[in-house]
Amino acid sequence: MTEDRPDASGTREQILAVAKDLFEAQGYANTRISTIVEGTGATKGALFHYFKSKEDLFQTIWERLQGEMDAEARANAVAARSLKDPYAAFLAGCRTYLQWAARRDYQQIVLIDGPSVLGLAGWYEADNDLGRQNVSAGIRYLARKGIIDGRRTAALSVLVHNALNGAGFAMARGEAGVTVESVLDAFEAVLKSLR
Amino acid sequence: MTEDRPDASGTREQILAVAKDLFEAQGYANTRISTIVEGTGATKGALFHYFKSKEDLFQTIWERLQGEMDAEARANAVAARSLKDPYAAFLAGCRTYLQWAARRDYQQIVLIDGPSVLGLAGWYEADNDLGRQNVSAGIRYLARKGIIDGRRTAALSVLVHNALNGAGFAMARGEAGVTVESVLDAFEAVLKSLR
DNA sequence: GCGTCATACATACCGAGGGTATGTGACCGC
DNA sequence: GCGGTCACATACCCTCGGTATGTATGACGC
């Protein structure tokens, strides 16, 4: 997350775009560097000029995706905070996150290959200040409003965050009975009952 | 899941044992086949005699781990079913699963590398994802008892299963405020409120 | 008791693919 | 107009998963 998104037409940006498509479609391990550079017209030299390894390239894409999701979730959460009902604000944030978790690119890159490539520590470290923090902030917000027990925020944040992640997977697979609406419905029922 | 656990001292079993340790400690991608065979005293020929690829070896270990967890979860679920309180029975199953989700080997092999190596399809192959099946069975059990809304079982199963997975990770990291007890406490509070 | 065949490995080798070392043209400050 | 840096290109290396092949051992029919 150093300097991002320079001129979107440069070689570096092309590499990132092609690599992201391939990582999403075939997964990290099945994507060859030669295939990436073929898709850009450049050569391996260019790729290794901008990224010190395949892993570094992956991480850059990973961070960018997380950043985009984070920005959208934050924006929606702030917008919804003006609503009177605290639930509505929190649910708005969760809906945003859920929609991201249902995206193919987010699933394959962030949720599937992320932990494996970056390692448990790295994944958590980076994920901690993004998706997780959004959920955590929402939970603590509900606690401040006196809606849920303040002593349970840590555990609840973890439970809720991962529940949403997993729901994204299930939705994308078209698993029977699992849609954005049904998940949000169940999710809302659970939250509301916490009162 | 064809024939498992023959004589536990044979070459094949040795390979499985050493490979499991390495996969757990370093992850699938960072584990070299040469390192595995070095640890057994055998050669690559032996390994490829028993397993048709590194991926096949991994999958065998993956299935075995899942099988062990499943056996324990089933045993505990059956035992707890004699309890009068349906919640207690379900929570007993969840506790079992939570403890597995907090184990290093289960995390690295099943939860982290599993999706990446086996692919999204393989991972969610219904009869493979035993963790999911166990949670789902518990949820449907509660629905039959009229405790939760029967129309929400699918979505709830997904939410609960992944909530527990994530909690396992958080616990393993020693994250503040996240322990078996705190998680089960929060979890119980949520479940109870669903009545 | 001998040929046949399968099992259980060992050894040698191959090729793909990630990474590196090095070259080179363009531009830029001075 | 020259040294230096940037943005790549080319050629090469080396690890590592996988394969092809050899071989010792025991079972089994006859």
Side-chain angles (χ1 to χ4, degrees), chain B residues 80-121:
Chain B
R81 198 148 298 187
S82 65
L83 296 174
K84 290 290 166 288
D85 183 7
Y87 276 126
F90 181 63
L91 280 174
C94 288
R95 177 184 287 268
T96 301
Y97 186 70
L98 191 57
Q99 275 156 354
W100 276 80
R103 282 173 51 163
R104 263 296 287 166
D105 54 353
Y106 194 80
Q107 280 177 19
Q108 187 66 46
I109 295 171
V110 175
L111 300 178
I112 295 184
D113 283 333
S116 175
V117 176
L118 272 43
L120 186 55

Side-chain angles (χ1 to χ4, degrees), chain A residues 28-29 55 116-117, chain B residues 22-23 26-33 54 58 108 113 116-117:
Chain A
Y28 176 81
E55 204 174 307
S116 177
V117 176
Chain B
L22 290 170
F23 285 157
Q26 321 177 343
Y28 176 82
N30 293 328
T31 299
R32 318 273 148 248
I33 283 185
K54 185 186 177 188
F58 176 83
Q108 187 66 46
D113 283 333
S116 175
V117 176

Side-chain angles (χ1 to χ4, degrees), chain B residues 11-184:
Chain B
T11 303
R12 185 185 140 98
E13 287 304 311
Q14 272 215 99
I15 293 172
L16 283 169
V18 173
K20 192 202 152 186
D21 285 349
L22 290 170
F23 285 157
E24 173 185 340
Q26 321 177 343
Y28 176 82
N30 293 328
T31 299
R32 318 273 148 248
I33 283 185
S34 59
T35 313
I36 296 174
V37 296
E38 272 167 28
T40 67
T43 61
K44 287 211 300 186
L47 193 150
F48 281 101
H49 172 66
Y50 289 110
F51 307 95
K52 69 180 209 287
S53 65
K54 185 186 177 188
E55 204 174 308
D56 182 37
L57 169 61
F58 176 83
Q59 188 167 352
T60 302
I61 293 170
W62 185 87
E63 283 173 353
R64 193 174 273 194
L65 252 182
Q66 285 281 58
E68 287 169 19
M69 184 276 291
D70 183 54
E72 189 177 319
R74 268 178 213 280
N76 285 4
V78 167
R81 198 148 298 187
S82 65
L83 296 174
K84 290 290 166 288
D85 183 7
Y87 276 126
F90 181 63
L91 280 174
C94 288
R95 177 184 287 268
T96 301
Y97 186 70
L98 191 57
Q99 275 156 354
W100 276 80
R103 282 173 51 163
R104 263 296 287 166
D105 54 353
Y106 194 80
Q107 280 177 19
Q108 187 66 46
I109 295 171
V110 175
L111 300 178
I112 295 184
D113 283 333
S116 175
V117 176
L118 272 43
L120 186 55
W123 171 250
Y124 269 108
E125 206 72 29
D127 56 340
N128 276 340
D129 196 350
L130 300 171
R132 171 77 201 292
Q133 282 206 340
N134 280 311
V135 171
S136 187
I139 291 276
R140 286 198 307 275
Y141 171 68
L142 285 185
R144 277 201 310 279
K145 294 279 179 181
I147 288 168
I148 61 174
D149 189 333
R151 290 165 306 176
R152 291 200 181 113
T153 56
L156 273 178
S157 297
V158 169
L159 291 173
V160 167
H161 177 219
N162 288 281
L164 291 176
N165 276 347
F169 281 117
M171 281 164 47
R173 291 181 55 244
E175 206 168 296
V178 185
T179 62
V180 178
E181 293 319 314
S182 76
V183 166
L184 280 175

